[in-house]
Amino acid sequence: MEEKKLDINSVIGFVLIFGILMYMLWQNQPTPEELKAQEKAKQKEVVKEQKDTEEAQTKETTAEDYSAVAATDSVQVAGLKNKLGAFAYSSTLPSASDKETVVESDLLKLTFSNKGGFLSEIKLKKFVDYDSIPIYLVKDNNSGFNINFGTTDSRILNTKDLYFEPTVTKNGDNTIVSMKLKVSETKFLEYRYEIKKDDYMLGFSIKSQGLNDVINSSQDINLDWKIKTYRHAKSISYENRYTDLIYEYEGGKDNNLGQRSDSDKEVDDVTYIAFKQHFFTSILLADTPFKTASLKSKNLVKDEEVDTVFTKYFEAKLPLEMTGGEINKNMNWYFGPTDYKVLNAYDRNLDEVVPLGWGIFGWINRYVFIPLFGFLSSFLPYGFAIVFMTIMVRIVMSPVTYKSYVSQAKMKVLKPEIAEINEKYKDNAMKKQQETMALYSKAGASPMAGCLPALVQLPVFYALFQFFPSAFDLRQKSFLWAEDLSSYDVIAKLPFHVPLYGDHVSLFPILASVAIFFYMQMTTGQQMASQPTQEGMPDMSKMMKYMMYFSPLMMLFFFNNYASGLSLYYFVSNLITIGIMLVIKNYIIDEDKIHAKIQENKKKPKKQNKFQKKMKEMMEEAEKQKKAKK
């Protein structure tokens, strides 16, 4: 019999067939998009199966027979009682699940969780962030609300771990959500929320019924509220700069923890606590003050060059008291915009949450700029409202600009005479000072007169510096190339990050810097021409030249990440000021007339007030003593 040998042709054939099969498998493998679609389909099937299972279980276990079913599982019930004591009852109810209750008003969409009884999601329906994503103050476990208490059977419990039973009822246009943590049908701890149709303020109360023999009143009962604030703005650093924890205490005083560094503080008699983001805020208000409050703030932005989900972490620990063996605390929640008009309407000192400046600066913003801008923006686009408000401010301040310029013109006219006095009494500083002051007095001029108008303008300058970053109305309002007047404008993106400047180029700060340069060139030139040269004094002209270049450069860097509305104001303001100064210089002030008037004033007898007389006597006495020593 002939032995069968391995045929080389068969081997080649098998190899070819195997190669063809592998090629066909490779060609027909699913694409990444098809794999994702298959994965999503599988996930949908799993979710559907879980949902069907839950619905089936819910149908099988009705409210009537649930207690009977739970009672049969004696081991589970015994375990719950051992762990939760009297509150084990709440975990045997149908509500003992991670289900949620959703309630909507015209302004808010609120999601209440059975576990913990608090809000697991808060959506502001009328706002979106810089990337057109809806604004959520609470979502995906970024916030927590818990009451920690001891029981009479020596247990320490946290409400965040326990199940509440939800009930939703209507009271006219208002919706009442009751979340009850039950010991029995007649004994419970209740969170009661009242949601109004068109209001960001919610009624909120914590009340207990029949728990005087369950909760240990001799131990501390602590309310713990915390949140990690979401980033909502284009600039992380700019938003974080205006994100802060603010509180009211001792019957109307207000303070904050600081916007930059980590901080914690113990405060007494606290009436409200605001976890303030730049343009959105969560506030807990109490009808009666909390005796103490432990407050904490932590900055979560470690590197401003890296996109960050959260900006800051806030926490407040507050004591709850039992009165007559029960808890009864009436409060309110505010979840809404950091808008001065909205917050001020509640008449609960919430306008202090908006950083308008202290003292006179806040007064100017509250009673001048906010009403004025509100009036202008009611019929003008917001960019034009800023321009018109700037024009009005500069016109009102023009008399101050005029006085400053006249004072500098007087000093310029007197400069030759001052130089003569300096030369004549160069070896006698006291006499030189006497003669100089006498000349100023006779001529009706003063070197300080040019500085005082600038000091008068400082409150207005600082008030507007506070106003524009806090103006909620500017949020997401466009003007020319700026898409959002409450944030920086972008005309070019840089492929790298420049320290202090950023990774973009904003045009409004460039225009404002150029306008400031020309304004300072005019003012420093006038000041240098009017300032007399004093021996032994530093050369002020060099300092002024440095400032003329340094100030615009500082403006360029500092404002590149600031609100474009603020840069627009400074650009227009400096343009108008330059125009006013040119008009004053070329059409109003005549240096020859000023010189003639000064000469006329010098001829008139000048009465000296008591202060001037006293100063003259002191200087004369000093001169006599100096001569006597010689």
Side-chain angles (χ1 to χ4, degrees), residues 312-567:
K312 281 192 173 72
Y313 169 81
F314 296 133
E315 183 176 357
K317 292 186 177 181
L318 309 160
L320 289 177
E321 299 176 4
M322 295 189 77
T323 306
E326 302 289 354
I327 298 173
N328 189 358
K329 188 74 174 178
N330 293 317
M331 293 171 279
N332 291 92
W333 287 108
Y334 175 86
F335 300 110
T338 314
D339 186 342
Y340 176 83
K341 297 189 296 296
V342 175
L343 293 169
N344 191 50
Y346 291 110
D347 195 26
R348 297 187 66 172
N349 203 32
L350 295 182
D351 58 296
E352 295 294 341
V353 173
V354 184
L356 298 175
W358 55 272
I360 189 173
F361 312 115
W363 187 91
I364 292 171
N365 276 324
R366 284 180 175 85
Y367 302 109
V368 179
F369 291 134
I370 289 176
L372 176 60
F373 187 75
F375 169 72
L376 292 172
S377 60
S378 64
F379 60 89
L380 289 172
Y382 286 92
F384 285 108
I386 292 174
V387 173
F388 271 84
M389 187 171 82
T390 307
I391 292 171
M392 293 174 72
V393 169
R394 294 320 305 170
I395 289 173
V396 170
M397 299 300 293
S398 59
V400 177
T401 306
Y402 172 74
K403 285 186 177 180
S404 177
Y405 206 94
V406 168
S407 176
Q408 290 174 9
K410 286 182 179 180
M411 295 298 295
K412 183 180 178 182
V413 169
L414 289 173
K415 188 175 181 180
E417 295 182 52
I418 298 294
E420 288 178 13
I421 292 172
N422 290 340
E423 180 63 27
K424 186 176 180 181
Y425 301 103
K426 61 182 178 181
D427 298 326
N428 191 333
M430 188 69 71
K431 188 66 175 176
K432 181 169 60 178
Q433 185 71 12
Q434 284 179 332
E435 293 298 319
T436 302
M437 295 302 295
L439 176 62
Y440 287 152
S441 179
K442 288 179 182 179
S446 170
M448 292 300 296
C451 301
L452 289 175
L455 292 175
V456 171
Q457 295 182 69
L458 276 179
V460 175
F461 175 89
Y462 184 77
L464 286 166
F465 182 79
Q466 292 290 106
F467 169 77
F468 283 105
S470 303
F472 185 85
D473 289 340
L474 294 180
R475 184 179 180 270
Q476 296 182 346
K477 300 300 189 301
S478 61
F479 180 67
L480 300 178
W481 57 85
E483 296 178 353
D484 185 350
L485 286 168
S486 71
S487 185
Y488 57 81
D489 62 292
V490 181
I491 57 167
K493 290 290 290 183
L494 300 176
F496 48 84
H497 187 276
V498 179
L500 302 177
Y501 187 73
D503 60 356
H504 63 277
V505 178
S506 299
L507 183 54
F508 275 128
I510 294 174
L511 294 175
S513 298
V514 172
I516 285 176
F517 175 76
F518 284 108
Y519 165 72
M520 293 199 72
Q521 198 173 42
M522 291 178 65
T523 55
T524 53
Q526 180 75 4
Q527 288 171 359
M528 287 162 62
S530 64
Q531 291 294 327
T533 303
Q534 299 279 357
E535 288 185 16
M537 295 292 288
D539 190 351
M540 296 300 293
S541 62
K542 287 185 178 179
M543 294 178 65
M544 289 178 181
K545 283 181 180 178
Y546 289 143
M547 286 300 297
M548 186 171 66
Y549 292 102
F550 178 72
S551 295
L553 192 63
M554 186 178 69
M555 173 80 183
L556 182 65
F557 273 78
F558 187 71
F559 282 83
N560 195 59
N561 291 295
Y562 256 73
S564 53
L566 184 62
S567 300

Side-chain angles (χ1 to χ4, degrees), residues 33 471 515 587 591 618:
E33 290 78 11
Y587 299 101
E591 291 185 2
M618 289 172 65

Side-chain angles (χ1 to χ4, degrees), residues 4-51:
K4 290 185 179 180
K5 296 181 180 179
L6 187 64
D7 187 3
I8 189 64
N9 293 327
S10 299
V11 172
I12 293 171
F14 282 122
V15 170
L16 289 173
I17 292 170
F18 178 77
I20 291 168
L21 287 172
M22 292 301 294
Y23 176 76
M24 290 174 66
L25 288 171
W26 179 76
Q27 281 290 96
N28 293 316
Q29 67 177 340
T31 62
E33 290 78 11
E34 290 173 335
L35 287 171
K36 286 183 181 179
Q38 290 174 8
E39 185 64 27
K40 285 183 179 179
K42 286 180 182 179
Q43 289 175 357
K44 285 182 180 179
E45 288 178 7
V46 171
V47 172
K48 187 175 183 302
E49 287 177 4
Q50 290 176 347
K51 189 175 180 182

Side-chain angles (χ1 to χ4, degrees), residues 211-227:
L211 300 185
N212 56 323
D213 60 345
V214 178
I215 296 178
N216 189 346
S217 59
S218 65
Q219 291 182 306
D220 292 338
I221 304 171
N222 295 309
L223 185 157
D224 186 8
W225 175 39
K226 55 190 176 183
I227 194 170

